[in-house]
Structures are given as structure tokens and as C-alpha cells.
């Protein structure tokens, strides 16, 4: 029987609800509890898979192939618990399930309503896997008062009534704005936000208050009084230099204790926080800095490559250096020489992406890295571009390209060194796709195994010949070109177990040049940096010693 913590937000968005949830998960884990985190999102998209990274940030892919909200990435990075398809649900998914059931006749002719049909559907999602954990932490996206959030708030209210007394608590995050002119912290928005919650039947047990200045004792008492919570349950949340300070910071102000008290868990098991003490030590005591250029398309919004930024930080932590990543728009290299932009960097990373725009620039970045012997990590599209670069410049295929761009342009301009995969094996069944299929959920998604070649650089880095990593793409490098490219020195050092799909390529005669068809960044954690990122940063550190 799990205990449920529902995490809601008020006043403004972007208060760090996801981070607070993830940090709480880490702290409960440190006390020996099994946790799972879940995100309930009120938007109407069925999943974030088809949402623009500009709008929504990165799409986080789970082992079981779900395209989810980037908050699930935080959850994994803080707890190490692999998220699942059932840990992310949007209104769109809920409504589409309800409507599907209605079409099937499951409701036996009843009138379908938000209460109870939609709310019941939400409650079922919340409950999935209850028996497996001690704590289920459910974050509700958006802020209280949003129209589309209402069914979720109503569902968690009902859910807490359905469960036994004391099995659910509510934690609400708000903002205390600071008025510099009068030197005051304002509690009124928090009071209003709690009032709004209470008007829909939810009384918060714990209030987490974001503030840029220290919250005076007097204000804490005032918030407690007006919001009907105990003073110890008004938890301050101050700005942090690094998100990885959050578990220790929240522990110091008593968040985990407040949660255990709310559930009347006494005596509370003592936490083992060594993992987080070490993480903080590595962040605060870095020795030097390496500069990495990330050459991509979605450079305006850092959240578009959230996991990559985090994985680089983890790689830095593994090597006790700070990683300074600069985002460079690939299109620049279509007009200007890449060298002028890339010379200051000790490493180049070309991340995943979709569509043709910027790809010629990415090919230039790969060429620069290859010829100047700068460490290069190509992820997904970044690997495909490295292969196209090799095919064009060394393999004699001047018009090498990806079918993706031909599809976009509606004509044949390229020799498809990267082609549209229409049939592959997942576990023990065959998956088939057509070019014109709907965009949602039509990719090779989720965890797949790969076999690494003995003696390859990647085998050494992983310390293993069998790996499994997460995928999210439609196109693949064609093995038809393997022999020709390997002759030039581009080794296909990782393949799908059936030997049909190239998973990793590496230049043999290069200090560090690796392209991977999957997304290693999704599995990196601060306390367990991904080996590819750790070694990539190590190679960059080496470069910084050479100059
Ligand atoms: N657009 C490419 C594909 O679909 C690469 C995808 C990615 O980089 N995630 O294969």
C-alpha cells in the first residue's frame, strides 16, 4: 500500500515543482523508501511527442518507449528509478481513452461526463503500480485555477477520499514575491492560491514557498495562520546555484521530515545522504573548466536539450571539471567558416534533431571535428550527419544525404545513406511503418539492445559488449555503406543484435569521435554519469591540457 503525495503549484508557473518533487523523491529514497514519481499534465496533446521543443522543451523517452514530459527526466536523474509509460499522462490521453471506451460501448449507453468518467480515468492512472512502492509522488502540471487542470484537481480530491485516512497528502508550491522598494516579502499571492485550492476541496498539508530572500520567522507564522498549515510545514525554497543542491537544501529546511510527519511515520528512519554530499562536493570543488560547443537547431530554448545539458554536467562531475556548454546555431556554418566558431572549444557535440534545416551546418561541424581531431559526440541526427560527412568527403558519394530531407522536399536529391526504416524487430515482434503514417508515436522508440565490437573504443568505455539504450528516430544509417566507410576508417562498432541496424560509429584514427544512433543522455545521473559523457568530457579535458 503506497502513500501518495500530490504536488501542485500556484501563483506562477516555473517555480520548480518538478525539481521539488524529484528532490523529495531522492530524500525519501535516502531514508530507505521505495518511490515512484508521476506527472499529470492538463494539456490536450495526447503526449509531448509531437510538440515543438521550442514550446515544450525536450521530449523525454522512457525504456518502454513513451514520449513524455521533460520532468520525468528530472525524476530519473534524482532517483535513478526508470520512468515508465504509465508515469506520464495528459488530459489528451485521458480524454482519448474515455472517448475510445465510449465508442466501444464500454459505458453501456450512459451519458459521459467529466465527473465521474474523466475523473475515474485519471484515478486509475494514479493508482497503477501502487503495490510496488512505499511512496507515489504525483505532480500536477500547470497552476491551480487553470481551466484544463480542474478535472485533475477534482480527481486527486476524490482519490484521497477513496483511499484510507492518512494515505494521501497535498504539497503546494507558491511564490513569495519580494518588493525591493519596501523591502518586504508578500504573502498575499500565496494566501490566494491556497484559498483557490481550498475552494475546490483541497487543503495543503505542506506549503513550499519560493523566495529570493530569506523568509523571516514572522512571515512563516503568518502564512501558517492564514493558510491553515503548521508553521513547520511552511518550507522555504531558495534559489540554488545548481539543481543538484536541491535534495540537501530541502533536507536542511525539513521537507522530508515534514512529509514523514504528515504521514505520522515515527520514528522516522535516518537518511543516508552520502550520495548527495558527494554530488555537491563535485559541483563546488571542480578543478578547471572545459568548453563544449553544442551545434544544433533548437538553440534558443535550453530546455530543448535538457538531458544533454545535464549529462554534460554529470560528465564534468565525473572528471571534476566544470563544463561550459555554448549553444551554436548550426545554420551559421552554412554561411560562415566553421573553424572561426569552433576553434575555442575542446569538444563538439551535435545533438538529435528533426528536419533538414541546419543539417548542412552540422555536417560542417562533423567535418571540422574529424579533420581537426577535436572530440566529437554525435547523437542520433548527430551520428547520421557524421556518417553523411564521411560518405561525401571520403566515400566518394558527393550527394550522400538522408531520406528525411527528400521526404520533406518532396523529391529525390540525395543518395540515401540514411534511409527511412519501415520494418524492424522489437523484442520478439516485428514493427512496420509507412512513410505517410501519422506523426504521433511512429518512431523507433524506447530501449533497444546493441552489440559492441570487441576492441572498439566504445566497448572500452562501456566496459561491456552488450548495452541497452533509448531510441527516438525514424531514419537509420544504411549498412550497405558499411564496408566502404570502414575502409576509410569509420568503424561500425555497435550494431543491433540482428546485425542490421548501425547503432554506433567511431573514427579509428581520431582521439575521440563517436556517433550514436540512440540517446545516452537520457540515462545519465549526477551520481552515475553516463560512461559516454564521462569519457567525452575526459577527452575534452585532455584537449585543454594540450593547448
Ligand atoms: N531526424 C532523425 C530521425 O528521425 C534523427 C532523430 C533524432 O535525432 N532524435 O532519424
Amino acid at each position: 500500500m503506497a502513500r501518495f503525495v500530490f504536488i501542485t503549484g500556484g501563483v506562477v508557473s516555473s517555480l520548480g515543482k518538478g525539481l521539488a518533487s524529484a528532490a523529495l523523491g531522492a530524500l525519501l529514497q535516502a531514508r530507505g523508501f521505495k518511490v515512484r514519481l508521476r506527472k499529470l499534465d492538463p494539456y490536450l496533446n495526447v503526449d509531448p511527442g509531437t510538440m515543438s521543443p521550442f514550446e515544450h522543451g525536450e521530449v523525454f523517452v522512457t525504456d518502454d518507449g513513451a514520449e513524455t514530459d521533460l520532468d520525468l527526466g528530472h525524476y530519473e536523474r534524482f532517483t535513478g528509478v526508470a520512468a515508465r509509460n504509465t508515469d506520464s499522462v495528459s488530459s489528451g490521453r485521458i480524454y482519448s481513452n474515455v472517448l475510445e471506451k465510449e465508442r466501444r460501448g464500454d459505458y453501456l449507453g450512459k451519458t459521459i461526463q467529466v465527473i465521474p468518467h474523466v475523473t475515474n480515468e485519471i484515478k486509475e492512472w494514479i493508482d497503477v503500480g501502487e503495490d510496488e512502492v512505499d511512496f507515489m509522488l504525483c505532480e500536477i502540471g500547470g497552476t491551480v485555477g487553470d481551466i484544463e487542470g480542474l478535472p485533475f484537481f477534482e480527481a486527486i480530491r476524490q482519490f484521497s477520499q477513496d483511499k484510507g485516512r492518512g494515505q494521501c497528502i497535498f504539497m503546494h508550491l507558491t511564490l513569495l514575491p519580494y518588493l525591493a522598494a519596501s523591502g518586504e516579502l508578500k504573502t498575499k499571492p500565496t494566501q490566494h492560491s491556497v484559498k483557490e485550492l481550498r475552494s475546490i476541496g483541497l487543503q495543503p498539508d505542506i506549503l513550499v514557498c519560493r523566495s529570493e530572500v530569506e523568509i523571516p520567522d514572522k512571515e512563516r507564522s503568518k502564512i501558517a495562520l492564514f493558510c491553515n498549515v503548521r508553521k513547520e510545514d511552511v518550507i522555504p525554497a531558495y534559489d540554488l546555484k545548481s539543481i543538484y543542491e536541491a535534495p540537501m537544501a530541502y533536507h536542511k529546511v525539513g521537507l522530508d521530515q515534514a512529509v514523514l510527519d504528515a504521514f505520522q511515520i515515527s520514528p522516522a528512519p535516518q537518511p543516508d545522504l552520502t550520495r548527495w554530499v558527494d554530488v555537491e562536493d563535485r559541483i563546488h570543488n571542480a578543478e578547471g573548466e572545459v568548453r563544449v560547443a553544442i551545434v544544433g537547431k533548437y538553440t534558443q530554448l535550453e530546455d530543448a536539450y535538457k538531458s544533454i545539458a545535464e549529462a554534460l554536467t554529470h560528465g564534468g562531475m565525473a572528471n571534476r571539471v566544470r563544463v561550459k556548454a555554448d549553444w551554436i546555431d548550426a545554420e551559421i556554418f552554412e554561411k560562415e567558416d566553421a573553424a572561426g566558431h569552433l576553434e575555442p572549444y575542446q569538444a563538439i557535440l551535435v545533438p538529435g534533431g528533426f528536419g533538414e534545416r541546419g543539417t548542412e551546418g552540422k555536417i560542417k561541424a562533423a567535418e571540422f571535428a574529424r579533420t581537426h581531431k577535436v572530440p566529437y559526440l554525435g547523437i542520433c541526427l548527430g551520428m547520421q550527419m557524421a556518417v553523411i560527412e564521411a560518405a561525401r568527403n571520403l566515400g566518394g558519394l558527393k550527394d550522400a544525404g538522408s531520406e528525411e530531407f527528400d521526404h520533406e522536399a518532396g523529391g529525390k536529391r540525395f543518395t540515401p545513406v540514411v534511409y527511412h526504416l519501415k520494418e524492424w524487430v522489437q523484442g520478439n515482434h516485428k514493427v512496420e511503418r509507412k512513410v505517410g503514417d501519422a506523426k504521433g508515436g511512429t518512431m523507433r522508440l524506447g530501449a533497444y539492445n546493441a552489440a559492441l565490437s570487441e576492441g572498439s573504443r566504445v566497448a572500452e568505455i562501456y566496459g561491456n559488449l552488450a548495452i541497452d539504450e533509448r531510441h527516438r528516430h525514424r531514419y537509420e544509417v544504411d549498412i550497405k555503406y558499411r564496408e566502404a566507410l570502414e575502409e576509410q576508417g569509420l568503424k561500425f562498432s555497435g550494431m543491433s543484435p540482428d546485425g542490421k541496424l548501425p547503432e554506433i560509429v567511431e573514427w579509428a584514427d581520431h582521439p575521440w569521435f563517436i556517433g550514436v544512433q540512440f540517446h545516452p543522455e537520457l540515462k545519465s545521473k549526477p551520481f552515475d554519469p553516463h560512461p559516454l559523457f564521462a569519457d567525452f568530457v575526459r577527452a575534452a579535458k585532455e584537449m585543454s591540457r594540450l593547448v
Side-chain angles (χ1 to χ4, degrees):
M1 188 190 76
R3 294 177 174 91
F4 291 82
V5 182
F6 292 103
I7 300 121
T8 57
V11 184
V12 291
S13 57
S14 306
L15 283 179
K17 230 180 328 139
L19 184 57
S21 310
L24 175 60
L27 290 174
L28 291 171
Q29 247 185 356
R31 290 188 187 256
F33 294 108
K34 251 187 116 182
V35 300
R36 179 163 288 284
L37 285 119
R38 212 152 254 184
K39 178 86 189 275
L40 310 174
D41 265 313
Y43 50 72
L44 281 166
N45 303 64
V46 173
D47 64 41
T50 47
M51 289 163 95
S52 159
F54 288 123
E55 272 200 32
H56 196 71
E58 157 187 281
V59 173
F60 189 80
V61 180
T62 59
D63 276 335
D64 57 6
E67 299 181 277
T68 69
D69 191 87
L70 84 176
D71 273 317
L72 267 73
H74 280 317
Y75 302 164
E76 274 204 41
R77 283 188 282 274
F78 280 81
T79 61
V81 176
R84 296 180 192 151
N85 184 5
T86 41
D87 294 332
S88 164
V89 62
S90 65
S91 289
R93 174 103 76 114
I94 295 288
Y95 279 100
S96 107
N97 284 359
V98 169
L99 295 176
E100 204 178 297
K101 286 185 186 168
E102 188 272 339
R103 292 290 82 187
R104 259 199 329 250
D106 290 9
Y107 298 120
L108 306 173
K110 287 252 178 307
T111 307
I112 312 307
Q113 295 181 295
V114 172
I115 305 171
H117 301 98
V118 170
T119 46
N120 281 352
E121 187 73 26
I122 298 172
K123 289 195 284 183
E124 277 170 33
W125 275 91
I126 297 172
D127 229 5
V128 174
E130 188 203 349
D131 303 337
E132 297 170 26
V133 292
D134 301 310
F135 284 93
M136 193 75 89
L137 311 187
C138 300
E139 179 190 348
I140 318 292
T143 43
V144 59
D146 296 346
I147 290 178
E148 60 266 33
L150 275 172
F152 285 101
F153 285 96
E154 170 60 12
I156 61 177
R157 186 195 66 75
Q158 291 177 14
F159 188 92
S160 72
Q161 291 295 322
D162 299 345
K163 291 284 166 188
R165 205 173 271 279
Q167 211 188 322
C168 300
I169 67 163
F170 298 92
M171 173 170 135
H172 189 57
L173 258 90
T174 69
L175 174 73
L176 300 184
Y178 176 67
L179 292 189
S182 57
E184 278 178 311
L185 264 183
K186 292 303 196 186
T187 64
K188 195 67 89 187
T190 295
Q191 294 178 39
H192 278 296
S193 177
V194 171
K195 198 168 153 204
E196 181 87 33
L197 261 186
R198 291 168 69 183
S199 74
I200 50 177
L202 297 174
Q203 165 64 46
D205 298 280
I206 295 170
L207 276 180
V208 176
C209 301
R210 269 301 286 272
S211 167
E212 51 184 287
V213 297
E214 181 148 348
I215 305 173
D217 203 53
K218 191 171 107 259
E219 301 305 322
R220 243 177 121 176
S221 305
K222 186 172 164 190
I223 295 167
L225 180 65
F226 282 90
C227 298
N228 194 30
V229 296
R230 300 180 325 161
K231 191 174 158 197
E232 310 83 89
D233 295 332
V234 178
I235 306 288
Y238 302 123
D239 297 346
L240 301 169
K241 278 208 223 56
S242 157
I243 55 169
Y244 299 118
E245 294 169 343
M248 292 301 284
Y250 274 123
H251 177 66
K252 283 180 195 140
V253 292
L255 177 64
D256 44 336
Q257 189 61 55
V259 169
L260 297 177
D261 286 350
F263 285 112
Q264 302 190 334
I265 297 175
S266 169
Q270 282 308 306
D272 173 5
L273 294 163
T274 32
R275 167 184 284 185
W276 296 104
V277 171
D278 179 53
V279 163
E280 281 204 357
D281 176 56
R282 285 172 184 275
I283 291 172
H284 294 146
N285 301 310
E287 297 147 11
E289 178 176 282
V290 296
R291 297 187 67 191
V292 179
I294 304 181
V295 181
K297 182 164 71 165
Y298 315 110
T299 48
Q300 298 99 315
L301 179 70
E302 218 177 284
D303 271 358
Y305 297 119
K306 187 78 193 148
S307 294
I308 290 189
E310 296 307 327
L312 282 172
T313 304
H314 307 160
M317 287 158 71
N319 293 282
R320 287 198 175 269
V321 288
R322 243 183 333 275
V323 176
K324 174 142 186 356
D326 287 340
W327 309 80
I328 300 180
D329 186 348
E331 278 179 293
I332 295 177
F333 304 149
E334 287 163 22
K335 296 175 224 97
E336 296 167 30
D337 187 27
H341 291 274
L342 294 176
E343 255 152 20
Y345 297 96
Q346 283 97 43
I348 297 167
L349 190 151
V350 177
F354 292 85
E356 186 172 8
R357 190 164 65 76
T359 49
E360 291 300 324
K362 292 176 191 174
I363 293 171
K364 291 257 170 59
E367 181 181 359
F368 175 86
R370 175 176 61 80
T371 52
H372 289 72
K373 306 262 184 241
V374 180
Y376 175 96
L377 175 57
I379 294 177
C380 206
L381 188 69
M383 166 196 179
Q384 297 172 358
M385 294 305 108
V387 173
I388 291 172
E389 190 276 318
R392 284 188 190 175
N393 295 329
L394 298 167
L397 281 170
K398 292 272 167 284
D399 60 349
S402 168
E403 247 188 300
E404 179 172 13
F405 317 145
D406 276 342
H407 288 150
E408 246 187 14
K412 267 222 160 304
R413 295 169 296 154
F414 295 115
T415 298
V417 169
V418 177
Y419 69 103
H420 188 244
L421 182 74
K422 301 185 189 70
E423 222 182 83
W424 67 92
V425 180
Q426 180 165 39
N428 47 17
H429 72 280
K430 201 161 90 180
V431 190
E432 286 179 81
R433 299 271 192 264
K434 284 191 288 299
V435 176
D437 276 352
K439 286 270 183 276
T442 57
M443 285 187 264
R444 183 149 90 94
L445 278 169
Y448 284 85
N449 296 329
L452 311 185
S453 320
E454 232 166 299
S456 62
R457 182 184 290 273
V458 281
E460 191 189 316
I461 292 172
Y462 275 95
N464 209 334
L465 290 179
I467 59 166
D468 85 274
E469 293 280 6
R470 296 182 194 165
H471 290 247
R472 180 172 186 255
H473 55 110
R474 294 191 179 86
Y475 298 85
E476 301 278 345
V477 170
D478 197 331
I479 41 164
K480 221 166 50 194
Y481 302 97
R482 178 175 185 169
E483 227 181 278
L485 291 171
E486 288 206 327
E487 254 168 50
Q488 299 299 328
L490 186 66
K491 301 290 177 208
F492 286 41
S493 52
M495 297 294 291
S496 59
D498 63 5
K500 289 190 178 150
L501 307 173
E503 293 276 10
I504 305 177
V505 295
E506 59 183 60
W507 280 107
D509 185 23
H510 190 286
W512 210 102
F513 192 115
I514 294 173
V516 292
Q517 188 55 75
F518 46 82
H519 290 274
E521 71 275 20
L522 301 177
K523 296 227 286 196
S524 188
K525 287 143 200 121
F527 46 83
D528 184 16
H530 192 285
L532 279 176
F533 278 88
D535 207 59
F536 178 58
V537 174
R538 184 200 54 72
K541 191 174 161 188
E542 240 18 27
M543 284 287 284
S544 66
R545 290 222 181 89
L546 297 177
V547 286

